[in-house]
Amino acid sequence: YSCDKRFVAKLMTERDKDILLRMLPGYFRYIRANPHSLLLKVYGLVMLSKGKKMLSYMVVENIFHHQMPLHHMFHIAPESM
């Protein structure tokens, strides 16, 4: 989380990073055309080095930072392939 809890950094696998990079142009076109979309807002992809290893993080909005009431909450985890 960021200091103000507005953003979350999610560690990504190399495969996830490649998929994100392929889908970002279409995602940003959609978000620009639909600014009130309920899709998660992606703010950036950050790559940090840890020794010789590169770590990729996706920075997204924290959906629980808003005061919008929640009726149901689900955790959807990616399926390993």
Side-chain angles (χ1 to χ4, degrees):
Y1 294 100
S2 61
C3 293
D4 61 2
K5 304 280 192 230
R6 287 185 58 213
F7 305 101
V8 177
K10 168 78 171 91
L11 182 63
M12 302 179 73
T13 65
E14 192 70 24
R15 182 174 179 264
D16 290 340
K17 181 190 72 154
D18 292 341
I19 292 170
L20 177 66
L21 289 173
R22 280 198 311 269
M23 68 174 245
L24 277 178
Y27 168 83
F28 282 119
R29 278 192 303 276
Y30 179 84
I31 291 298
R32 206 173 293 134
N34 301 278
H36 300 292
S37 172
L38 296 177
L39 284 178
L40 183 69
K41 304 298 186 292
V42 177
Y43 288 98
L45 176 63
V46 178
M47 298 183 70
L48 303 170
S49 64
K50 183 178 181 184
K52 294 182 179 184
K53 186 175 182 181
M54 289 297 291
L55 300 174
S56 300
Y57 292 89
M58 176 174 54
V59 179
V60 297
E61 72 176 333
N62 180 0
I63 61 171
F64 300 113
H65 184 262
H66 303 286
Q67 297 302 318
M68 186 183 305
L70 296 176
H71 301 288
H72 301 285
M73 181 170 35
F74 301 91
H75 174 74
I76 302 173
E79 182 180 357
S80 298
M81 296 192 127

Coordinates of all heavy atoms in Angstrom, one line a residue:
Y1 N 0.8 -1.2 0.0 CA 0.0 0.0 0.0 C 0.9 1.2 0.0 O 1.9 1.3 0.6 CB -0.9 0.0 1.2 CG -1.9 -1.0 1.3 CD1 -1.8 -2.2 2.0 CD2 -3.1 -0.9 0.6 CE1 -2.8 -3.2 2.1 CE2 -4.1 -1.9 0.6 CZ -3.9 -3.0 1.4 OH -4.9 -3.9 1.4
S2 N 0.3 2.3 -0.6 CA 1.0 3.6 -0.5 C 0.7 4.2 0.9 O -0.2 3.6 1.7 CB 0.5 4.6 -1.5 OG -0.9 4.8 -1.4
C3 N 1.4 5.2 1.3 CA 1.2 5.8 2.6 C -0.2 6.2 2.9 O -0.7 6.0 4.1 CB 2.1 7.0 2.8 SG 3.9 6.6 2.8
D4 N -0.9 6.7 1.9 CA -2.3 7.1 2.1 C -3.3 6.0 1.8 O -4.5 6.3 1.8 CB -2.6 8.4 1.3 CG -2.4 8.2 -0.2 OD1 -2.1 7.0 -0.6 OD2 -2.6 9.1 -0.9
K5 N -2.8 4.8 1.5 CA -3.7 3.7 1.2 C -4.5 3.8 -0.1 O -5.4 3.0 -0.4 CB -4.6 3.3 2.3 CG -4.0 3.1 3.7 CD -3.4 1.8 3.8 CE -3.0 1.5 5.2 NZ -1.7 1.0 5.4
R6 N -4.1 4.8 -1.0 CA -4.8 4.9 -2.2 C -4.4 4.0 -3.3 O -5.1 3.7 -4.2 CB -4.7 6.4 -2.7 CG -5.4 7.4 -2.0 CD -5.3 8.8 -2.6 NE -5.8 8.7 -3.9 CZ -5.3 9.5 -4.9 NH1 -4.4 10.4 -4.7 NH2 -5.8 9.4 -6.1
F7 N -3.1 3.5 -3.2 CA -2.6 2.6 -4.3 C -2.0 1.3 -3.7 O -1.6 1.3 -2.5 CB -1.5 3.4 -5.0 CG -1.9 4.7 -5.6 CD1 -1.6 5.9 -4.9 CD2 -2.7 4.7 -6.7 CE1 -2.0 7.1 -5.4 CE2 -3.1 6.0 -7.2 CZ -2.8 7.1 -6.6
V8 N -2.0 0.3 -4.5 CA -1.5 -1.0 -4.1 C -0.5 -1.4 -5.2 O -0.7 -1.2 -6.4 CB -2.6 -2.1 -4.1 CG1 -2.1 -3.4 -3.8 CG2 -3.7 -1.7 -3.1
A9 N 0.7 -1.9 -4.8 CA 1.6 -2.5 -5.7 C 1.6 -4.0 -5.7 O 1.7 -4.6 -4.6 CB 3.0 -2.0 -5.3
K10 N 1.3 -4.6 -6.8 CA 1.1 -6.0 -6.9 C 2.3 -6.7 -7.7 O 2.6 -6.3 -8.8 CB -0.2 -6.3 -7.7 CG -0.4 -7.7 -8.1 CD -0.9 -8.6 -7.0 CE -1.3 -10.0 -7.5 NZ -0.2 -11.0 -7.5
L11 N 3.0 -7.6 -7.0 CA 4.1 -8.3 -7.6 C 3.6 -9.1 -8.8 O 2.5 -9.8 -8.6 CB 4.8 -9.1 -6.6 CG 6.1 -9.9 -7.1 CD1 7.1 -8.9 -7.6 CD2 6.6 -10.8 -6.0
M12 N 4.3 -9.1 -9.9 CA 3.8 -9.8 -11.1 C 4.8 -10.8 -11.6 O 6.0 -10.5 -11.5 CB 3.5 -8.8 -12.2 CG 2.5 -7.7 -11.9 SD 2.3 -6.6 -13.3 CE 1.4 -7.7 -14.4
T13 N 4.4 -11.9 -12.1 CA 5.3 -12.8 -12.8 C 5.7 -12.2 -14.1 O 5.0 -11.3 -14.6 CB 4.6 -14.2 -13.0 OG1 3.5 -14.0 -13.9 CG2 4.1 -14.8 -11.7
E14 N 6.7 -12.8 -14.7 CA 7.1 -12.4 -16.1 C 6.0 -12.6 -17.1 O 5.7 -11.7 -17.9 CB 8.4 -13.2 -16.5 CG 9.1 -12.6 -17.7 CD 9.8 -11.3 -17.5 OE1 10.1 -11.0 -16.3 OE2 9.9 -10.5 -18.4
R15 N 5.3 -13.7 -17.0 CA 4.1 -14.0 -17.9 C 3.0 -12.9 -17.7 O 2.5 -12.4 -18.7 CB 3.6 -15.4 -17.6 CG 2.5 -15.8 -18.5 CD 2.1 -17.2 -18.2 NE 1.0 -17.6 -19.1 CZ -0.3 -17.6 -18.7 NH1 -0.6 -17.3 -17.5 NH2 -1.2 -18.0 -19.5
D16 N 2.7 -12.6 -16.4 CA 1.7 -11.6 -16.1 C 2.1 -10.2 -16.7 O 1.2 -9.5 -17.3 CB 1.4 -11.4 -14.6 CG 0.7 -12.6 -14.0 OD1 0.1 -13.4 -14.8 OD2 0.8 -12.8 -12.8
K17 N 3.4 -9.9 -16.6 CA 3.8 -8.6 -17.1 C 3.7 -8.5 -18.6 O 3.2 -7.5 -19.1 CB 5.3 -8.4 -16.7 CG 5.9 -7.1 -17.2 CD 7.3 -7.0 -17.0 CE 8.0 -7.9 -18.1 NZ 9.2 -7.7 -18.5
D18 N 4.0 -9.6 -19.3 CA 3.9 -9.7 -20.7 C 2.5 -9.5 -21.2 O 2.1 -8.8 -22.1 CB 4.5 -11.0 -21.3 CG 6.0 -11.0 -21.1 OD1 6.7 -10.0 -20.9 OD2 6.6 -12.2 -21.2
I19 N 1.5 -10.2 -20.5 CA 0.1 -10.1 -20.8 C -0.4 -8.7 -20.6 O -1.1 -8.1 -21.4 CB -0.7 -11.1 -20.0 CG1 -0.4 -12.5 -20.4 CG2 -2.2 -10.8 -20.1 CD1 -0.9 -13.6 -19.5
L20 N 0.0 -8.1 -19.4 CA -0.4 -6.7 -19.1 C 0.1 -5.7 -20.2 O -0.7 -4.9 -20.7 CB 0.1 -6.3 -17.8 CG -0.2 -4.8 -17.4 CD1 -1.7 -4.6 -17.2 CD2 0.6 -4.4 -16.1
L21 N 1.3 -5.9 -20.6 CA 1.9 -5.0 -21.6 C 1.1 -5.1 -23.0 O 0.9 -4.1 -23.7 CB 3.4 -5.2 -21.8 CG 4.3 -4.8 -20.7 CD1 5.7 -5.2 -20.9 CD2 4.2 -3.3 -20.5
R22 N 0.7 -6.3 -23.3 CA -0.1 -6.5 -24.6 C -1.5 -5.9 -24.5 O -2.0 -5.4 -25.5 CB -0.2 -8.0 -24.9 CG 1.1 -8.6 -25.5 CD 0.8 -9.9 -26.2 NE 0.1 -10.9 -25.4 CZ 0.7 -11.8 -24.7 NH1 2.0 -11.9 -24.5 NH2 -0.1 -12.7 -24.0
M23 N -2.1 -6.0 -23.3 CA -3.5 -5.5 -23.2 C -3.6 -4.0 -22.8 O -4.7 -3.4 -23.0 CB -4.3 -6.3 -22.2 CG -3.8 -6.2 -20.8 SD -4.9 -7.0 -19.6 CE -5.6 -5.6 -18.8
L24 N -2.5 -3.4 -22.4 CA -2.6 -2.0 -22.0 C -3.1 -1.0 -23.0 O -3.9 -0.1 -22.6 CB -1.2 -1.5 -21.4 CG -1.0 -1.9 -20.0 CD1 0.4 -1.4 -19.6 CD2 -2.0 -1.4 -19.0
P25 N -2.7 -1.0 -24.3 CA -3.2 -0.1 -25.2 C -4.8 -0.1 -25.3 O -5.4 0.9 -25.2 CB -2.6 -0.4 -26.5 CG -1.3 -1.1 -26.1 CD -1.6 -1.9 -24.9
G26 N -5.3 -1.3 -25.4 CA -6.8 -1.4 -25.5 C -7.4 -1.0 -24.2 O -8.5 -0.4 -24.1
Y27 N -6.8 -1.4 -23.0 CA -7.3 -1.0 -21.7 C -7.4 0.5 -21.6 O -8.4 1.1 -21.2 CB -6.4 -1.6 -20.6 CG -6.7 -1.1 -19.2 CD1 -7.7 -1.6 -18.5 CD2 -5.9 0.0 -18.7 CE1 -8.0 -1.1 -17.2 CE2 -6.2 0.5 -17.5 CZ -7.2 0.0 -16.7 OH -7.5 0.5 -15.5
F28 N -6.3 1.2 -21.9 CA -6.3 2.7 -21.8 C -7.3 3.4 -22.7 O -7.9 4.3 -22.4 CB -4.9 3.2 -22.0 CG -4.0 3.0 -20.7 CD1 -2.9 2.3 -20.8 CD2 -4.4 3.6 -19.5 CE1 -2.1 2.1 -19.7 CE2 -3.6 3.4 -18.4 CZ -2.5 2.6 -18.5
R29 N -7.5 2.8 -23.9 CA -8.5 3.4 -24.8 C -9.9 3.2 -24.2 O -10.7 4.2 -24.2 CB -8.4 2.7 -26.2 CG -7.4 3.2 -27.1 CD -7.6 2.7 -28.5 NE -7.6 1.2 -28.6 CZ -6.5 0.4 -28.7 NH1 -5.3 1.0 -28.8 NH2 -6.6 -0.9 -28.8
Y30 N -10.1 2.1 -23.6 CA -11.4 1.8 -23.0 C -11.6 2.7 -21.8 O -12.7 3.4 -21.7 CB -11.6 0.4 -22.5 CG -12.9 0.1 -21.9 CD1 -14.0 -0.2 -22.6 CD2 -13.0 0.2 -20.5 CE1 -15.2 -0.4 -22.0 CE2 -14.2 -0.1 -19.9 CZ -15.3 -0.3 -20.7 OH -16.6 -0.5 -20.1
I31 N -10.7 2.9 -20.9 CA -10.8 3.7 -19.7 C -11.0 5.2 -20.1 O -11.8 5.9 -19.5 CB -9.6 3.5 -18.8 CG1 -9.6 2.1 -18.2 CG2 -9.5 4.6 -17.7 CD1 -10.8 1.8 -17.3
R32 N -10.2 5.6 -21.2 CA -10.4 7.0 -21.6 C -11.8 7.3 -22.2 O -12.4 8.3 -22.0 CB -9.3 7.3 -22.7 CG -9.0 8.8 -22.8 CD -7.8 9.0 -23.7 NE -6.6 8.5 -23.2 CZ -5.7 7.8 -24.0 NH1 -5.9 7.6 -25.3 NH2 -4.6 7.4 -23.5
A33 N -12.3 6.3 -22.9 CA -13.7 6.4 -23.4 C -14.8 6.2 -22.4 O -15.9 6.7 -22.6 CB -13.9 5.4 -24.6
N34 N -14.5 5.5 -21.3 CA -15.4 5.2 -20.2 C -14.9 5.6 -18.9 O -14.5 4.7 -18.1 CB -15.8 3.7 -20.3 CG -16.3 3.3 -21.6 OD1 -17.5 3.5 -21.8 ND2 -15.5 2.7 -22.5
P35 N -14.7 6.9 -18.6 CA -14.1 7.3 -17.3 C -14.7 6.9 -16.1 O -14.1 6.8 -15.0 CB -14.0 8.8 -17.5 CG -15.1 9.2 -18.4 CD -15.2 8.0 -19.4
H36 N -16.0 6.5 -16.1 CA -16.7 6.1 -14.9 C -16.8 4.5 -14.8 O -17.6 4.0 -14.0 CB -18.1 6.7 -14.9 CG -18.1 8.2 -14.8 ND1 -17.6 8.9 -13.8 CD2 -18.4 9.1 -15.8 CE1 -17.6 10.2 -14.1 NE2 -18.1 10.3 -15.3
S37 N -16.0 3.9 -15.6 CA -16.0 2.4 -15.6 C -15.6 1.9 -14.2 O -14.9 2.5 -13.4 CB -14.9 1.9 -16.6 OG -14.8 0.5 -16.4
L38 N -16.1 0.7 -13.8 CA -15.8 0.1 -12.5 C -14.6 -0.8 -12.6 O -14.2 -1.4 -11.7 CB -17.0 -0.6 -12.0 CG -18.2 0.2 -11.7 CD1 -19.4 -0.6 -11.2 CD2 -17.9 1.3 -10.6
L39 N -14.0 -0.9 -13.8 CA -12.8 -1.6 -13.9 C -11.7 -1.1 -13.0 O -11.6 0.2 -12.8 CB -12.2 -1.6 -15.4 CG -13.0 -2.5 -16.4 CD1 -12.3 -2.4 -17.8 CD2 -12.9 -4.0 -16.0
L40 N -10.8 -1.9 -12.5 CA -9.7 -1.5 -11.7 C -8.8 -0.5 -12.5 O -8.5 -0.8 -13.7 CB -8.9 -2.7 -11.3 CG -7.7 -2.5 -10.4 CD1 -8.2 -2.1 -9.0 CD2 -6.9 -3.8 -10.3
K41 N -8.4 0.6 -11.9 CA -7.6 1.5 -12.6 C -6.1 1.1 -12.4 O -5.6 1.0 -11.3 CB -7.8 2.9 -12.0 CG -9.2 3.4 -12.0 CD -9.7 3.6 -13.4 CE -11.1 4.2 -13.5 NZ -12.2 3.4 -13.0
V42 N -5.4 0.9 -13.5 CA -4.0 0.6 -13.5 C -3.2 1.9 -13.7 O -3.5 2.7 -14.6 CB -3.6 -0.4 -14.6 CG1 -2.1 -0.6 -14.6 CG2 -4.4 -1.7 -14.4
Y43 N -2.3 2.2 -12.8 CA -1.6 3.5 -12.8 C -0.2 3.4 -13.3 O 0.5 4.3 -13.7 CB -1.6 4.2 -11.5 CG -2.9 4.8 -11.1 CD1 -3.8 4.1 -10.3 CD2 -3.3 6.0 -11.7 CE1 -5.1 4.6 -10.1 CE2 -4.6 6.5 -11.4 CZ -5.4 5.8 -10.6 OH -6.7 6.3 -10.3
G44 N 0.4 2.1 -13.4 CA 1.7 2.0 -13.9 C 2.3 0.6 -13.7 O 1.7 -0.2 -12.9
L45 N 3.4 0.4 -14.3 CA 4.2 -0.8 -14.2 C 5.6 -0.4 -13.8 O 6.2 0.4 -14.4 CB 4.2 -1.6 -15.5 CG 5.1 -2.9 -15.5 CD1 4.6 -3.9 -14.6 CD2 5.2 -3.4 -16.9
V46 N 6.0 -0.9 -12.6 CA 7.3 -0.5 -12.0 C 8.2 -1.7 -12.0 O 7.8 -2.8 -11.6 CB 7.1 0.0 -10.6 CG1 8.5 0.4 -10.0 CG2 6.2 1.2 -10.6
M47 N 9.4 -1.5 -12.5 CA 10.4 -2.6 -12.5 C 11.6 -2.2 -11.6 O 12.1 -1.1 -11.8 CB 10.9 -3.0 -13.9 CG 9.7 -3.4 -14.7 SD 10.2 -3.9 -16.4 CE 11.1 -5.4 -16.0
L48 N 11.9 -3.1 -10.6 CA 13.0 -2.8 -9.7 C 14.0 -4.0 -9.7 O 13.6 -5.1 -10.0 CB 12.4 -2.7 -8.2 CG 11.3 -1.7 -8.0 CD1 10.7 -1.9 -6.6 CD2 11.9 -0.3 -8.1
S49 N 15.2 -3.7 -9.5 CA 16.2 -4.7 -9.5 C 16.5 -5.1 -8.1 O 16.6 -4.3 -7.2 CB 17.5 -4.3 -10.2 OG 18.1 -3.2 -9.6
K50 N 16.6 -6.4 -7.9 CA 17.0 -7.0 -6.6 C 18.2 -7.9 -6.9 O 18.0 -9.0 -7.3 CB 15.9 -7.7 -5.9 CG 16.2 -8.3 -4.6 CD 15.0 -9.0 -4.0 CE 15.3 -9.5 -2.6 NZ 14.2 -10.3 -2.0
G51 N 19.4 -7.3 -6.7 CA 20.6 -8.1 -7.2 C 20.6 -8.2 -8.7 O 20.4 -7.2 -9.4
K52 N 20.6 -9.4 -9.2 CA 20.6 -9.6 -10.7 C 19.2 -9.9 -11.2 O 19.0 -10.0 -12.4 CB 21.5 -10.7 -11.0 CG 23.0 -10.4 -10.8 CD 23.8 -11.6 -11.2 CE 25.3 -11.2 -10.9 NZ 26.2 -12.3 -11.4
K53 N 18.2 -9.9 -10.2 CA 16.8 -10.3 -10.6 C 16.0 -9.0 -10.7 O 16.1 -8.1 -9.9 CB 16.2 -11.1 -9.5 CG 14.9 -11.7 -9.8 CD 14.4 -12.6 -8.8 CE 13.1 -13.2 -9.1 NZ 12.6 -14.1 -8.1
M54 N 15.2 -8.9 -11.8 CA 14.2 -7.8 -12.0 C 12.9 -8.2 -11.5 O 12.4 -9.3 -11.8 CB 14.1 -7.4 -13.5 CG 15.4 -6.8 -14.0 SD 15.8 -5.2 -13.3 CE 14.4 -4.2 -13.8
L55 N 12.3 -7.4 -10.6 CA 10.9 -7.6 -10.1 C 10.0 -6.6 -10.7 O 10.3 -5.4 -10.8 CB 10.9 -7.4 -8.6 CG 11.8 -8.4 -7.8 CD1 11.8 -8.0 -6.3 CD2 11.4 -9.8 -8.0
S56 N 8.8 -7.1 -11.2 CA 7.8 -6.2 -11.8 C 6.6 -6.1 -10.9 O 6.1 -7.0 -10.3 CB 7.3 -6.8 -13.1 OG 8.4 -7.0 -14.0
Y57 N 6.2 -4.8 -10.7 CA 5.0 -4.5 -9.9 C 4.0 -3.7 -10.7 O 4.4 -2.8 -11.4 CB 5.4 -3.6 -8.6 CG 6.3 -4.4 -7.6 CD1 7.7 -4.4 -7.7 CD2 5.7 -5.1 -6.6 CE1 8.4 -5.1 -6.8 CE2 6.5 -5.7 -5.7 CZ 7.8 -5.7 -5.8 OH 8.6 -6.4 -4.9
M58 N 2.8 -4.0 -10.6 CA 1.7 -3.3 -11.2 C 1.1 -2.4 -10.1 O 0.8 -2.9 -9.0 CB 0.6 -4.2 -11.7 CG -0.6 -3.5 -12.3 SD -1.8 -4.6 -13.1 CE -2.2 -5.8 -11.8
V59 N 1.0 -1.1 -10.3 CA 0.5 -0.1 -9.4 C -1.0 0.1 -9.8 O -1.2 0.6 -10.9 CB 1.3 1.2 -9.3 CG1 0.7 2.2 -8.3 CG2 2.7 0.9 -9.0
V60 N -1.9 -0.2 -8.9 CA -3.3 0.0 -9.1 C -4.0 0.7 -8.0 O -3.4 0.9 -6.9 CB -4.0 -1.4 -9.3 CG1 -3.5 -2.2 -10.5 CG2 -3.9 -2.2 -8.0
E61 N -5.2 1.2 -8.3 CA -5.9 1.9 -7.2 C -6.4 0.9 -6.2 O -6.6 -0.3 -6.5 CB -7.1 2.6 -7.7 CG -8.3 1.7 -8.2 CD -9.5 2.5 -8.6 OE1 -9.7 3.6 -8.2 OE2 -10.2 1.9 -9.5
N62 N -6.5 1.3 -4.9 CA -7.0 0.5 -3.9 C -8.5 0.6 -3.9 O -9.0 1.7 -3.5 CB -6.4 0.9 -2.5 CG -7.0 0.1 -1.4 OD1 -7.8 -0.8 -1.5 ND2 -6.5 0.4 -0.2
I63 N -9.2 -0.4 -4.3 CA -10.7 -0.3 -4.5 C -11.4 -0.1 -3.1 O -12.5 0.3 -3.1 CB -11.3 -1.5 -5.2 CG1 -11.0 -2.8 -4.5 CG2 -10.7 -1.5 -6.7 CD1 -11.8 -4.0 -5.1
F64 N -10.7 -0.4 -2.0 CA -11.4 -0.2 -0.7 C -11.1 1.1 -0.1 O -11.5 1.4 1.0 CB -10.9 -1.4 0.2 CG -11.2 -2.7 -0.3 CD1 -10.2 -3.6 -0.7 CD2 -12.5 -3.1 -0.4 CE1 -10.5 -4.8 -1.2 CE2 -12.9 -4.4 -1.0 CZ -11.9 -5.2 -1.3
H65 N -10.4 2.0 -0.8 CA -10.1 3.3 -0.3 C -11.3 4.2 -0.4 O -11.4 5.2 0.3 CB -8.9 3.9 -1.1 CG -8.5 5.3 -0.6 ND1 -8.9 6.4 -1.2 CD2 -7.7 5.6 0.5 CE1 -8.3 7.5 -0.5 NE2 -7.6 7.0 0.5
H66 N -12.2 4.0 -1.3 CA -13.4 4.8 -1.6 C -14.4 4.5 -0.5 O -14.4 3.5 0.2 CB -14.0 4.5 -2.9 CG -13.0 4.7 -4.0 ND1 -12.6 6.0 -4.4 CD2 -12.3 3.9 -4.8 CE1 -11.7 5.9 -5.4 NE2 -11.5 4.6 -5.6
Q67 N -15.3 5.5 -0.3 CA -16.4 5.3 0.7 C -17.6 4.7 0.1 O -18.7 4.7 0.8 CB -16.7 6.7 1.3 CG -15.5 7.4 2.0 CD -15.0 6.5 3.1 OE1 -15.8 5.9 3.9 NE2 -13.7 6.4 3.2
M68 N -17.5 4.1 -1.0 CA -18.7 3.4 -1.6 C -19.0 2.2 -0.8 O -18.2 1.4 -0.5 CB -18.3 3.0 -3.1 CG -19.5 2.4 -3.8 SD -19.1 1.9 -5.5 CE -18.3 3.3 -6.2
P69 N -20.3 2.0 -0.5 CA -20.7 0.8 0.3 C -20.5 -0.5 -0.5 O -20.8 -0.5 -1.7 CB -22.2 1.1 0.7 CG -22.6 2.0 -0.4 CD -21.5 2.9 -0.8
L70 N -20.0 -1.5 0.2 CA -19.9 -2.8 -0.5 C -21.0 -3.7 -0.1 O -21.3 -3.8 1.1 CB -18.5 -3.4 -0.1 CG -17.3 -2.7 -0.5 CD1 -16.1 -3.4 0.1 CD2 -17.2 -2.6 -2.0
H71 N -21.6 -4.4 -1.0 CA -22.7 -5.3 -0.7 C -22.1 -6.8 -0.7 O -22.6 -7.6 0.1 CB -23.8 -5.2 -1.7 CG -24.4 -3.8 -1.8 ND1 -25.2 -3.4 -0.8 CD2 -24.3 -2.8 -2.7 CE1 -25.6 -2.1 -1.1 NE2 -25.0 -1.8 -2.2
H72 N -21.1 -7.0 -1.6 CA -20.5 -8.3 -1.6 C -19.0 -8.1 -1.9 O -18.7 -7.2 -2.6 CB -21.1 -9.2 -2.7 CG -22.5 -9.5 -2.6 ND1 -23.0 -10.4 -1.6 CD2 -23.6 -9.0 -3.2 CE1 -24.3 -10.4 -1.7 NE2 -24.7 -9.5 -2.7
M73 N -18.2 -9.0 -1.4 CA -16.7 -8.9 -1.7 C -16.2 -10.3 -2.1 O -16.6 -11.2 -1.4 CB -15.9 -8.3 -0.5 CG -14.5 -8.2 -0.9 SD -13.4 -7.3 0.3 CE -14.1 -7.7 1.9
F74 N -15.5 -10.4 -3.2 CA -15.0 -11.6 -3.6 C -13.5 -11.5 -3.8 O -13.0 -10.4 -4.2 CB -15.6 -12.1 -5.0 CG -17.1 -12.2 -4.9 CD1 -17.9 -11.2 -5.2 CD2 -17.6 -13.4 -4.6 CE1 -19.3 -11.3 -5.2 CE2 -19.0 -13.6 -4.5 CZ -19.8 -12.5 -4.8
H75 N -12.7 -12.5 -3.6 CA -11.3 -12.6 -3.9 C -11.1 -13.5 -5.1 O -11.5 -14.7 -5.0 CB -10.5 -13.1 -2.7 CG -9.0 -13.2 -3.1 ND1 -8.2 -12.2 -3.2 CD2 -8.3 -14.3 -3.4 CE1 -7.0 -12.6 -3.5 NE2 -7.0 -13.9 -3.6
I76 N -10.7 -13.0 -6.2 CA -10.5 -13.8 -7.4 C -9.0 -13.9 -7.7 O -8.3 -12.9 -7.9 CB -11.2 -13.1 -8.6 CG1 -12.7 -12.9 -8.3 CG2 -11.0 -13.9 -9.9 CD1 -13.4 -12.1 -9.4
A77 N -8.5 -15.1 -7.5 CA -7.1 -15.4 -7.7 C -6.9 -16.0 -9.1 O -7.7 -16.7 -9.6 CB -6.6 -16.4 -6.6
P78 N -5.7 -15.6 -9.7 CA -5.4 -16.2 -11.0 C -5.2 -17.7 -10.9 O -4.7 -18.2 -9.9 CB -4.2 -15.5 -11.5 CG -3.6 -14.9 -10.2 CD -4.7 -14.7 -9.2
E79 N -5.6 -18.4 -11.9 CA -5.4 -19.9 -12.0 C -4.0 -20.2 -12.5 O -3.6 -19.6 -13.5 CB -6.5 -20.5 -12.8 CG -6.4 -22.0 -12.9 CD -7.5 -22.6 -13.8 OE1 -8.3 -21.8 -14.3 OE2 -7.5 -23.8 -14.0
S80 N -3.3 -21.1 -11.9 CA -2.0 -21.5 -12.4 C -2.2 -22.4 -13.6 O -3.1 -23.2 -13.6 CB -1.2 -22.2 -11.3 OG -1.0 -21.4 -10.2
M81 N -1.3 -22.2 -14.6 CA -1.4 -23.0 -15.8 C -0.2 -23.8 -16.0 O 0.8 -23.5 -15.7 CB -1.7 -22.1 -17.0 CG -3.0 -21.4 -17.0 SD -3.3 -20.7 -18.6 CE -4.9 -21.3 -18.8

